[in-house]
Amino acid sequence: MTLPRGIGPRPVQASGPAGPPGVLGPTGATGPTGSAGPTGTSIPVEVGFHIDSVTPVTWASMPAAVTNLGGNTNQITKRDLTNVTQARLVTNVGAVAGFAGSLVKLVYSTSLTFTAGSFSDIAASPVSCSLSGNNTVVDSGWFNVVSPAKADVYLNVVGSGGNGTISPTIGNVIAHLR
């Protein structure tokens, strides 16, 4: 006897306890790599080199030569700038302005040093603020960070252009990094 097409013997349903699991088969092939996600953004960072709007730094007889901010090294710090692309410096100049042409600038070094002249500019152009005007806030503007500074580096603020007589007062000095 021939059964019509699509009709065949039916499987027998077993009843009773299940048997033990079978042996684990081999691992399958690795699937394709997914597409890359969107480029992340770096979180803006502020680094305070002097944060005290009540008691400004008095840079006693600011010299013409490159010198650490206020003549000391307390502000040198270390930051990972791997994902940073731009930097700016914002400086509050107090009641006493510096000599014409005096300035502060943001610099970096790949190794720890306390010698102001051993630091390098963080951008192709100096990220600097003039100290020539009093009772003002000076913004350097944003500059692209140079490739060697995009690492775990030491940051510092140095100054130059004083005349060895005038002692400018400086309030907040903050680097903005993004």
Side-chain angles (χ1 to χ4, degrees), residues 49-65:
F49 291 93
H50 177 69
I51 302 177
D52 187 346
S53 56
V54 177
T55 308
V57 169
T58 299
W59 200 330
S61 305
M62 183 180 179

Side-chain angles (χ1 to χ4, degrees), residues 31-47:
T33 301
S35 60
T39 302
T41 57
S42 63
I43 298 171
V45 175
E46 290 183 355
V47 179

Side-chain angles (χ1 to χ4, degrees), residues 68-126:
N68 291 309
L69 177 63
N72 66 59
T73 59
N74 297 337
Q75 73 284 348
I76 296 172
T77 189
K78 190 171 187 183
R79 289 290 190 277
D80 184 352
L81 303 185
T82 303
N83 295 316
V84 169
T85 59
Q86 293 186 311
R88 78 174 178 180
L89 188 65
V90 178
T91 304
N92 179 319
V93 183
V96 180
F99 185 68
S102 61
L103 57 84
V104 290
K105 68 178 180 173
L106 180 63
V107 292
Y108 81 98
S109 176
T110 55
S111 59
L112 179 60
T113 179
F114 296 104
T115 305
S118 296
F119 286 84
S120 301
D121 285 328
I122 199 164
S125 297

